[in-house]
């Protein structure tokens, strides 16, 4: 099975904290994605990176800041989050952005904001 | 933008029966339709997908059909087993951005 690895698995933080979520894939995929999933809801797209450049930002608040340091890594920096930001944050990757491409998901980081 | 509707929201079947989940989409430019299975606390797992130039695709007990004219596609699971119990999401995307729009999900329960 293809593998996307996310750390940490769980994260509890206060509204004034700064933390980062990490995502890694070694499949040579050039597109990476962040999704947010609330309980009993489908994943919602937040960001798309294509060849390490941000290509889509789905009007996400600036307290979420993505970063793609290289083709294998994707980070999501968190600052001044609100309780409603508590959710499962999923990372996914695909070979490329253009053309229909299967997206493969990681296990996610379950984030709780106190 | 794309809108994907999925029905039913919950589905309970007896082990060995078939299960059918249906989705409709709004954007005629959509040409890729994956299905994901998500068990409790786990990742969405791609189980089958279909592209718009194909009407049907099978993989063992799972099949997907696509009707582009009517803009709907369906997932068929035959000979269901308890381990098929999960939430299933359909999705649609078009070429340019590979952005997936998901349906609302179907909770499938297979009773032994």
């Amino acid at each position: 099975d293809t593998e996307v690895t996310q750390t940490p698995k769980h994260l509890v933080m206060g509204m004034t904290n700064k933390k980062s979520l990490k995502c890694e894939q070694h499949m040579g995929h050039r597109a990476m994605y962040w999704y947010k999933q609330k309980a009993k809801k489908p994943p919602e797209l937040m960001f798309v990176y294509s060849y390490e450049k941000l290509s889509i930002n789905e009007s996400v608040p600036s307290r979420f800041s993505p970063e793609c340091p290289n083709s294998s890594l994707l980070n999501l920096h968190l600052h001044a989050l609100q309780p409603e930001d508590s959710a499962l944050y999923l990372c996914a990757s695909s070979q490329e952005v253009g053309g229909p491409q299967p997206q493969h998901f990681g296990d996610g980081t379950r984030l709780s904001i106190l | 933008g794309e809108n994907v509707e999925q029905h039913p929201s919950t589905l309970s079947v007896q082990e060995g029966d078939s299960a059918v989940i249906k989705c409709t989409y709004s954007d005629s430019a959509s040409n890729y339709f994956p299905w994901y299975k998500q068990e409790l606390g786990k990742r969405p797992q791609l189980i089958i997908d279909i592209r718009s130039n194909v009407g049907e695709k099978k993989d063992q007990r799972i099949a997907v059909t696509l009707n582009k004219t009517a803009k709907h596609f369906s997932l068929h699971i035959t000979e269901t087993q308890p381990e098929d119990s999960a939430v299933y999401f359909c999705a649609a995307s078009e070429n340019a951005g590979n952005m997936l729009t998901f349906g609302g999900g179907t909770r499938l329960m297979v009773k032994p």
Side-chain angles (χ1 to χ4, degrees):
Chain A
D1 193 14
T2 53
E3 189 155 326
V4 176
T5 305
Q6 290 187 244
T7 55
K9 293 192 186 305
H10 302 276
L11 179 62
V12 179
M13 58 187 287
M15 288 190 283
T16 58
N17 291 156
K18 286 186 182 181
K19 295 283 184 185
S20 297
L21 310 185
K22 295 186 184 302
C23 175
E24 191 168 1
Q25 57 88 13
H26 293 290
M27 297 176 282
H29 288 177
R30 303 314 299 267
M32 295 184 78
Y33 311 78
W34 280 115
Y35 288 85
K36 174 182 178 180
Q37 186 177 26
K38 300 283 274 186
K40 300 185 179 181
K41 296 289 186 183
E44 294 179 6
L45 183 67
M46 300 174 72
F47 302 104
V48 180
Y49 271 82
S50 176
Y51 289 85
E52 298 151 54
K53 289 188 177 5
L54 182 66
S55 62
I56 294 172
N57 176 342
E58 287 288 273
S59 303
V60 179
S62 59
R63 57 186 184 267
F64 295 91
S65 175
E67 178 198 20
C68 191
N70 60 56
S71 60
S72 300
L73 290 174
L74 185 65
N75 297 323
L76 186 62
H77 302 298
L78 314 172
H79 174 52
L81 295 194
Q82 304 297 310
E84 61 264 28
D85 297 323
S86 297
L88 180 67
Y89 288 84
L90 292 162
C91 174
S93 71
S94 66
Q95 278 195 314
E96 291 184 356
V97 169
Q101 297 283 342
Q103 292 184 28
H104 300 277
F105 285 84
D107 284 331
T109 293
R110 190 160 299 282
L111 177 66
S112 297
I113 307 300
L114 301 178
Chain B
E2 176 65 277
N3 182 47
V4 178
E5 301 272 347
Q6 183 172 346
H7 299 280
S9 56
T10 60
L11 179 59
S12 182
V13 299
Q14 209 64 37
E15 183 177 359
D17 287 351
S18 294
V20 180
I21 302 170
K22 299 182 179 182
C23 290
T24 59
Y25 62 99
S26 60
D27 188 349
S28 56
S30 289
N31 58 4
Y32 174 63
F33 307 93
W35 286 88
Y36 287 86
K37 173 184 179 183
Q38 188 173 28
E39 296 175 73
L40 192 63
K42 300 215 171 160
R43 71 179 75 188
Q45 181 186 2
L46 180 67
I47 56 172
I48 196 166
D49 57 11
I50 192 167
R51 287 165 171 73
S52 59
N53 58 346
V54 175
E56 183 176 359
K57 185 176 177 181
K58 282 185 180 179
D59 183 3
Q60 299 183 5
R61 297 186 296 108
I62 294 173
V64 58
T65 58
L66 171 65
N67 183 327
K68 278 215 78 178
T69 305
K71 289 192 233 168
H72 65 70
F73 55 113
S74 301
L75 178 72
H76 304 253
I77 306 174
T78 58
E79 301 171 24
T80 53
Q81 301 166 3
E83 50 265 38
D84 294 329
S85 297
V87 177
Y88 290 80
F89 292 102
C90 63
S93 80
E94 45 79 27
N95 260 343
N98 204 35
M99 293 170 56
L100 289 179
T101 300
F102 286 86
T106 297
R107 180 170 300 279
L108 174 64
M109 293 169 285
V110 180
K111 300 177 188 173

